[in-house]
């Protein structure tokens, strides 16, 4: 994750870290870690990207203001990272980078791109054959084969700017969210696994990568479920275009959304000028 930290000079600092599982809980624990370095202001961590319960984050960002007492100098980047990680030791989360940013920086709204990777595997007769090292980290498909070329062709239909209403689930924010998004990347590539490398199991791991400035609620999981259904022969390639054209969330087939545990938020991008290295000279 990344946290931004405001100081008397009107600057902030930012941090990055990997987070697993329920993100709303991790936000609270990051706030608690910041409080333990005893800022004089009220601590409120703002997350760049929220995820559903069960979804993982290998990278995320956030901002938070830290105001220190007047007799204390600003924390240096490495000192800040080490202090927060010390207080986060019991949690599956680590701060990896810190930056100072302007006071008007916003971790969510300044992001220019977000990347998600969905991991799935096939070649299993039953989900219990999935290696324990992949437990809750990969979608185990009950298929011995998939039409990879059909998935790749269907993924190409999702690229570009579209109304993705069919690929979003309805929630309280639906009336306030524009369904038009620009998908910069929808790519299927072979994946890998520690167990596959060392135990030579005949399981094929694959990864679907999606990149956009922002996504709708459950959009990535719905796109993944539909693309996998194409590979299984349950949907035709042309039906992906038909779903796009429908522009209706209720047109999405029942029970086709991919499960949460195979999805990873892997990258948040900002403009270079928004992230200034946090040094003693700032």
């Amino acid at each position: 994750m990344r946290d931004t930290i405001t100081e008397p000079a009107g600057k902030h600092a930012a941090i990055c870290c990997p987070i697993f599982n329920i993100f709303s809980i991790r936000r609270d624990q990051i706030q608690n870690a910041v409080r333990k370095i005893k800022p004089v202001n009220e601590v409120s961590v703002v997350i760049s990207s929220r995820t559903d319960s069960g979804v993982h984050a290998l990278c995320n960002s956030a901002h938070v203001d830290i105001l220190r007492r007047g007799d204390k100098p600003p924390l240096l980047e490495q000192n800040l990272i080490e202090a927060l990680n010390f207080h986060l030791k019991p949690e599956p989360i680590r701060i990896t980078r810190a930056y100072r940013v302007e006071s008007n920086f916003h971790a969510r709204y300044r992001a220019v791109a977000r990347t998600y990777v969905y991991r799935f595997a096939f070649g299993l007769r039953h989900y219990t054959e999935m290696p324990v090292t992949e437990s809750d980290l990969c979608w185990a498909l009950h298929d011995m084969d998939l039409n990879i070329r059909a998935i790749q062709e269907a993924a190409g239909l999702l690229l570009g700017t579209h109304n993705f209403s069919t690929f979003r689930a309805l929630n309280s924010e639906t009336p306030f969210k524009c369904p038009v998004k620009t998908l910069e990347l929808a790519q299927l590539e072979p994946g890998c696994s520690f167990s596959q490398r060392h135990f030579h199991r005949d399981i094929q791991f694959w990864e679907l990568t999606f990149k956009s400035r922002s996504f709708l609620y459950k959009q990535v999981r719905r796109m993944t479920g539909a693309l996998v259904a194409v590979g299984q022969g349950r949907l035709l390639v042309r039906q992906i275009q038909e779903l796009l054209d429908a522009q209706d969330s209720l047109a999405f087939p029942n029970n086709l959304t991919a499960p949460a545990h195979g999805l990873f938020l892997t990258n948040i991008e900002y403009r270079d000028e928004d992230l200034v290295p946090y040094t003693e000279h700032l």
Side-chain angles (χ1 to χ4, degrees), residues 2-14:
R2 190 169 55 212
D3 308 12
T4 4
I5 299 166
T6 338
E7 298 181 345
K11 293 278 186 179
H12 297 290

Side-chain angles (χ1 to χ4, degrees), residues 8-154:
K11 293 278 186 179
H12 297 290
I15 24 189
C16 297
C17 64
I19 304 166
F20 279 75
N21 300 322
I22 307 173
F23 192 76
S24 58
I25 293 177
R26 303 307 171 205
R27 173 181 176 272
D28 292 342
Q29 285 154 358
I30 292 172
Q31 287 189 157
N32 290 338
V34 175
R35 290 188 182 110
K36 288 177 181 177
I37 62 177
K38 302 187 184 310
V40 298
N41 60 300
E42 182 62 32
V43 173
S44 178
V45 171
V46 178
I47 304 300
S48 71
S49 298
R50 294 170 294 176
T51 59
D52 302 333
S53 175
V55 174
H56 312 287
L58 294 181
C59 173
N60 210 328
S61 61
H63 73 261
V64 57
D65 296 340
I66 295 179
L67 184 63
R68 306 190 81 201
R69 291 200 307 267
D71 60 339
K72 287 197 171 186
L75 283 166
L76 298 179
E77 173 188 289
Q78 193 58 35
N79 292 342
L80 178 60
I81 292 171
E82 291 174 3
L84 293 179
N85 281 334
F86 176 81
H87 296 299
L88 286 166
K89 275 194 295 188
E91 306 302 330
I93 173 174
R94 291 296 177 267
I95 308 301
T96 59
R97 291 191 297 278
Y99 302 88
R100 292 187 81 178
V101 294
E102 297 294 338
S103 57
N104 62 356
F105 175 88
H106 196 286
R108 183 177 180 186
Y109 299 123
R110 286 289 184 92
V112 297
R114 294 168 171 85
T115 301
Y116 284 88
V117 171
Y118 197 100
R119 301 181 68 237
F120 63 87
F122 63 91
L124 303 99
R125 291 181 295 272
H126 192 266
Y127 74 90
T128 56
E129 294 182 354
M130 180 65 81
V132 293
T133 54
E134 296 294 341
S135 177
D136 294 327
L137 299 173
C138 185
W139 182 16
L141 300 175
H142 305 164
D143 297 275
M144 297 308 292
D145 197 14
L146 286 180
N147 188 335
I148 297 300
R149 293 186 67 178
I151 295 176
Q152 292 170 330
E153 182 182 352

Side-chain angles (χ1 to χ4, degrees), residues 168-200:
R168 71 172 169 186
L170 302 177
N171 67 359
S172 59
E173 295 184 350
T174 299
F176 311 104
K177 296 283 187 179
C178 176
V180 177
K181 301 291 179 183
T182 299
L183 194 61
E184 300 176 37
L185 182 67
Q187 179 175 285
L188 178 65
E189 294 179 309
C192 61
S193 166
F194 175 84
S195 59
Q196 181 187 39
R197 177 182 174 188
H198 291 277
F199 296 105
H200 309 290

